[in-house]
Amino acid sequence: MMYEIRFHGRGGQGAVTAAALLCRAGFLAGKKGVQAFPLFGAERRGAPVKAFARIDDEEIVLASQIYEPDYVFVFEEWLIEYAIEGLKKDGWMIINTKKKPEDFDLDCKIATTDATGIALSNNLKVAGFPVINSSILGAFPKVCEEIKLEHITQAIKNYWPGDIGKNNAHACEQAFNATEVKE
Amino acid sequence: MNAGGFNPNLKGLSQQEDLLLPGHRLCAGCSASIVVRQVLKAVRGPTIVVNATGCLEVATTIYPYTSWALPWIHSAFENVAATASGVVAAERAFERKKSEPKSDVIAFGGDGGTYDIGFQALSGALERYDDFLYVLYDNEAYMNTGIQRSGSTPKYAWTTTTPVGSVEAGKMEYKKPIDLIVAAHDIPYVATASPAYWRDLIVKARKGIEVDGPAFLHAISTCDRGWRHDTSDTIEIARLAVETCYFPLFEVENGEFKLTGRSRAIAKRPELKKPVSEFLKPQGRFSHILKNQSMLEEVQENVDRYWERIKKLCGE
Amino acid sequence: MILGISGDEAVALAAKQCNVDVVAAYPITPQTIIVEKFSEYVANGETQAEYVRVESEHSAMSACVGASARGARTFTATSSQGLMLMHEILYVASGMRLPIVMANVNRAISSPINIHADHADSMAVRDSGWIQLSCVDAQEAYDTTIMAFKIAEETLLPVMVLLDGFVISHTLQNVSTLSDEQILNFIGNERKSENILDPENPKTFGAMVLPDYYSEIKMQQIEAMDESKKVIENTFKEFGDLTGRRYPLVESYKTDDAEHILLCMGSAFGTAKVVVDDMRAEGKKVGVSRVKCYRPFAGNEVREAIKNAKSVGVADRVAPFGSYPPLYLDTKASCDGINLKSFVYGLGGRDVNKDTIKEVFDRLEKGVDEMFVGVRE
């Protein structure tokens, strides 16, 4: 079974790294096929960016962008209208927000977590901007049972050795615990 | 002036084997082969030569013959410095990985390959501080393609792309001060030389080989075909270039400018300085200048201005 | 060991593991990760190679020429405009028979400027005397870079490894790596020091050759390119024996009984395999082949792969101006009598997705002779 995941963020928020981390987590979960790639225009810090990930039990040969994702990550609420495009009917939208899933009227399953708040409380910032990728990934094991929280926190710790990794993994756990879902 | 006890004399040099062998097809009276042979008298051990496209390259390696008794490579016109950087990088890698002793690297380029098309590659190599001696043999135009103007051609000189017409008379722009530009890269050694002063040239070449990091040797290189002079006048014109202060001899060691040889003597005794007309007279490329007093005066003023500038830099 | 790395990272790792002596390279998107990664290796003492941080791609290839002529195992990488700037010196490298390995991360050529996948760059230099080996993913980019050194040093021809910009270069995937020891046993610990700039045995490189000898010298180079096919095949085979990963000169998927075949290059092959499966599930007899060995052109193998099809769509990722695009022309010259149609897709990173591939098969089925796929009116 192949899962296709799409990330919608802004340059600097870490969407591209989030896709890569999810892949690495997939690999730790024993998946043979993992794939993560960004969609670059000429984006600079702050501009909208898209990134993609595929996770499969088998090797992945597909080399195109993702048009009908199973999951979308939304790093800022205003990106919902782009993220919903093509999302499968029973697909999940994971939103970085202080709001509850019930606050959204969308034709999909919803998970929410305050990734920005958690990132800031853990002082995860680059050039003054909160980097929310490690936090928002914490919501994923709540909505996809194939990837466990420990796979993600391990991938984070492998990617950032030392205290940085520990801080990010901690934020990820906090976000996991704070995630609310509506099927 | 010496380079670590290196003290060339005529007897010793005459017994030293030439590394640019006879039989090449450079013109009779061409300075390039004289400059190269003098430079190669200064080698201190295993040496690799890199050559830009130009007369020297074309005329010394016509397949299946070669005049080079050293390992030699020519790649293209504008990349002699970058090619040399690659050879130097290989030397460094082999030294590090296999403890092999490094060979010295000497690059030869003409004025086209140095002032113009090869300038970027040269500047890059200097900035990277790659350890090789770059020898510019400067005949002041694209002689290999038949006398077209370059960034080195002096003002008012005739070339086939700066003909003497009724509106324009020769090249309308000045010669690029390449030595000052190269020296501005803060490399350990920069020098000018003339084949008429062989000892000065050979010692400078040796210094350039010995320093750690890039060195640049700029040799004036007469071209009887392009300069329109008698083949027997080669060394005389190379001497007049210095005696008129058209081409001062100096060196820049770790940023310090110093006049050398004849130019130093002229700075001490200004009466030795000859008028530029003596340098111009034997050369057909300047014949229109000699017929035009105001043009001649302007050329003299330019020479004087440049000479004063160099003297000042050299603290004279 | 399996690593989650991008195509660019895989190439840099392979070059490092091949014990290169000199790297001379200049950054350009989407190749930049390769030079950044290699810089890290140098900065961390993970390689003893010299890295020449040149001021342009022209100088990158020139420094590679100097280093390789001196006997160094030499590597560089570029893309697009960078390859265009190197163009002149590519011929110098191949003419001097220098076994330089270069990764070209395929990207469109200006103008208009575009940083995405497109084969115009490597196709523009297809006749520069370099072997060209195309890849479909990061694993293959890693494997091919390793094989490239062996092929280059046995044939004395430079080798270009081609990987699609972003689609391969920036896509993270699992890459199964080899140990340094395995690799060096396979390619040899270092370059053989024959035919190099050697002070003990002075040779002249890059002499002036006039009409009395030029043809004969070019013939030697042409023959070397023709004969390299055997070396490439043998190298692929030995590598397959070592790793289990087998690369044919031309790879085919479900073509044996296929009525319609897509012939392509690069990353599109993977997506096309998925489409072939989908369409076969609907009862349609389709298949896909891809050219791995583009120079020398594996013409006989292409012919073998597609000869029984009713029609073959040859898909180029290059804008053709005033003629047909290159893969089509090469195929046409090798496949007399086969019903070929020329298609062009994926220019400047336009996604080659399942719909794109399906469109090609639909046109083949219906016999629609229309070249451009996925372009708005």
Side-chain angles (χ1 to χ4, degrees), chain B residues 2-312:
Chain B
N2 64 69
F6 178 69
N7 189 16
N9 59 63
L10 269 185
K11 192 177 169 204
L13 293 178
S14 67
Q15 287 164 355
Q16 203 178 317
E17 219 178 317
D18 261 322
L19 295 169
L20 180 71
L21 304 172
H24 60 70
R25 305 187 200 182
L26 285 161
C27 301
C30 168
S31 271
S33 63
I34 303 171
V35 168
V36 171
R37 284 171 60 221
Q38 291 182 2
V39 168
L40 295 182
K41 294 288 182 195
V43 301
R44 59 174 176 178
T47 303
I48 294 168
V49 171
V50 187
N51 212 150
T53 305
C55 290
L56 176 63
E57 164 263 325
V58 165
T60 57
T61 67
I62 296 180
Y63 187 88
Y65 305 104
T66 181
S67 289
W68 296 87
L70 295 164
W72 180 96
I73 182 170
H74 154 254
S75 166
F77 197 1
E78 68 279 52
N79 64 351
V80 65
T83 309
S85 284
V87 177
V88 169
E91 293 293 335
R92 283 198 301 257
F94 292 157
E95 185 189 40
R96 184 186 306 144
K97 295 170 91 166
K98 301 194 269 187
S99 304
E100 281 183 11
K102 281 199 287 187
S103 301
D104 291 318
V105 177
I106 302 175
F108 288 102
D111 47 294
T114 305
Y115 284 74
D116 296 349
I117 198 167
F119 186 69
Q120 174 184 316
L122 171 64
S123 180
L126 300 178
E127 183 268 336
R128 287 190 301 274
Y129 226 70
D130 288 330
D131 187 6
F132 64 92
L133 169 64
Y134 189 105
V135 180
L136 155 62
Y137 70 101
D138 180 8
N139 51 32
E140 303 197 317
Y142 291 88
M143 299 313 187
N144 193 34
T145 42
I147 325 164
Q148 291 80 35
R149 69 87 91 179
S150 78
S152 168
T153 306
K155 193 169 183 188
Y156 297 138
W158 164 89
T159 70
T160 60
T161 51
T162 55
V164 178
S166 56
V167 179
E168 289 183 346
K171 184 183 171 185
M172 301 310 287
E173 301 81 23
Y174 294 106
K175 182 181 171 92
K176 194 193 276 190
I178 193 77
D179 311 304
L180 305 182
I181 295 165
V182 169
H185 286 71
D186 271 343
I187 60 170
Y189 191 71
V190 179
T192 63
S194 160
Y197 301 92
W198 56 269
R199 196 174 179 284
D200 180 78
L201 190 152
I202 295 171
V203 171
K204 284 170 172 169
R206 179 60 170 245
K207 281 188 176 184
I209 291 167
E210 286 185 359
V211 293
D212 288 328
F216 183 82
L217 178 62
H218 176 187
I220 187 88
S221 185
T222 66
C223 170
D224 48 271
R225 191 164 168 269
W227 292 12
R228 302 297 201 228
H229 69 73
D230 287 351
T231 54
S232 57
D233 285 345
T234 295
I235 293 299
E236 190 50 33
I237 291 171
R239 193 189 327 277
L240 282 166
V242 176
E243 288 180 334
T244 58
C245 299
Y246 171 82
F247 193 85
L249 301 179
F250 63 97
E251 60 184 355
V252 191
E253 264 180 294
N254 298 313
E256 205 171 306
F257 282 71
K258 202 166 64 188
L259 289 171
T260 66
R262 188 68 182 171
S263 294
R264 188 138 185 256
I266 295 170
K268 302 285 179 221
R269 295 172 58 199
E271 70 274 18
L272 294 177
K273 180 171 178 261
K274 294 183 174 170
V276 73
S277 57
E278 294 201 24
F279 173 65
L280 307 183
K281 227 179 290 169
Q283 302 182 49
R285 64 173 173 155
F286 296 130
S287 56
H288 56 291
I289 301 178
L290 295 164
K291 293 177 203 142
N292 183 322
Q293 191 56 31
S294 72
M295 227 184 228
L296 180 61
E297 278 167 20
E298 190 192 328
V299 170
Q300 183 65 60
E301 279 165 23
N302 290 339
V303 167
D304 293 347
R305 195 182 315 121
Y306 183 64
W307 169 236
E308 289 305 318
R309 185 177 176 189
I310 296 299
K311 270 202 306 182
K312 201 172 162 196

Side-chain angles (χ1 to χ4, degrees), chain C residues 232-275:
Chain C
I232 295 167
E233 248 183 323
N234 286 340
T235 306
F236 285 2
K237 187 184 173 304
E238 284 172 38
F239 190 82
D241 294 343
L242 177 69
T243 63
R245 295 191 290 276
R246 304 205 169 269
Y247 297 103
L249 302 181
V250 173
E251 185 178 359
S252 292
Y253 185 72
K254 300 192 177 170
T255 50
D256 284 352
D257 63 340
E259 291 173 359
H260 305 290
I261 294 177
L262 167 70
L263 178 69
C264 65
M265 275 174 74
S267 60
F269 183 65
T271 304
K273 285 203 285 189
V274 176
V275 173

Side-chain angles (χ1 to χ4, degrees), chain A residues 16 23 29 68 77 82 98 108 116 122 142 158 170 175 180:
Chain A
V16 175
C23 263
E68 293 177 355
E77 275 178 48
Y82 303 100
K98 286 187 196 312
C108 62
T116 302
N122 286 280
K142 286 268 189 192
N158 292 349
H170 179 66
E180 297 194 33

Side-chain angles (χ1 to χ4, degrees), chain C residues 310-327:
Chain C
K310 275 190 200 159
S311 68
V312 177
V314 184
D316 276 86
R317 208 164 182 170
V318 185
F321 302 109
S323 180
Y324 287 91
L327 180 60

Side-chain angles (χ1 to χ4, degrees), chain C residues 104-366:
Chain C
N104 181 66
V105 184
N106 282 107
R107 163 186 153 178
I109 303 172
S110 290
S111 167
I113 190 167
N114 173 293
I115 58 173
H116 291 277
D118 187 301
H119 296 165
D121 53 1
S122 61
M123 284 300 186
V125 301
R126 65 190 184 274
D127 295 324
S128 61
W130 285 60
I131 290 170
Q132 290 191 334
L133 303 174
S134 157
C135 302
V136 297
D137 59 17
Q139 180 70 61
E140 191 176 331
Y142 175 81
D143 294 343
T144 305
T145 303
I146 295 164
M147 293 190 282
F149 282 101
K150 190 172 168 71
I151 292 164
E153 290 173 19
E154 281 184 27
T155 59
L156 292 183
L157 290 170
V159 180
M160 210 179 284
V161 178
L162 308 176
L163 53 152
D164 288 343
F166 292 103
V167 186
I168 301 175
S169 69
H170 283 58
T171 297
L172 186 100
Q173 67 165 95
N174 286 339
V175 173
S176 178
T177 61
L178 302 173
S179 70
D180 292 3
E181 201 191 346
Q182 280 177 306
I183 291 175
L184 295 179
N185 280 340
F186 179 69
I187 66 167
N189 199 43
E190 57 186 50
R191 267 269 304 277
K192 290 189 213 91
S193 53
E194 292 160 11
N195 296 317
I196 62 168
L197 291 169
D198 178 2
E200 285 178 17
N201 182 15
K203 287 195 170 82
T204 289
F205 276 69
M208 175 86 167
V209 181
L210 297 173
D212 54 350
Y213 283 101
Y214 190 82
S215 298
E216 286 71 22
I217 289 192
K218 280 294 137 186
M219 280 313 295
Q220 292 178 3
Q221 201 185 336
I222 289 163
E223 282 164 19
M225 182 58 102
D226 290 343
E227 285 164 15
S228 73
K229 217 170 110 179
K230 281 231 141 36
V231 178
I232 295 167
E233 248 183 323
N234 286 340
T235 306
F236 285 2
K237 187 184 173 304
E238 284 172 38
F239 190 82
D241 294 343
L242 177 69
T243 63
R245 295 191 290 276
R246 304 205 169 269
Y247 297 103
L249 302 181
V250 173
E251 185 178 359
S252 292
Y253 185 72
K254 300 192 177 170
T255 50
D256 284 352
D257 63 340
E259 291 173 359
H260 305 290
I261 294 177
L262 167 70
L263 178 69
C264 65
M265 275 174 74
S267 60
F269 183 65
T271 304
K273 285 203 285 189
V274 176
V275 173
V276 164
D277 284 343
D278 290 352
M279 291 182 73
R280 282 201 172 247
E282 295 164 16
K284 295 186 168 156
K285 286 188 174 173
V286 292
V288 59
S289 295
R290 61 120 179 172
V291 180
K292 161 86 181 154
C293 182
Y294 182 63
R295 281 292 179 273
F297 188 66
N300 292 338
E301 289 75 7
V302 168
R303 187 181 171 79
E304 270 311 299
I306 64 176
K307 65 180 180 191
N308 294 324
K310 275 190 200 159
S311 68
V312 177
V314 184
D316 276 86
R317 208 164 182 170
V318 185
F321 302 109
S323 180
Y324 287 91
L327 180 60
Y328 176 81
L329 290 175
D330 282 312
T331 307
K332 188 82 183 162
S334 312
C335 299
D336 198 23
I338 298 176
N339 180 19
L340 303 177
K341 300 255 183 279
S342 177
F343 294 97
V344 170
Y345 59 33
L347 300 183
R350 176 67 53 86
D351 198 25
V352 177
N353 55 35
K354 291 199 250 181
D355 290 345
T356 320
I357 307 283
K358 245 179 248 158
E359 178 66 28
V360 172
F361 282 124
D362 286 350
R363 288 187 197 174
L364 286 177
E365 253 185 344
K366 292 177 191 145

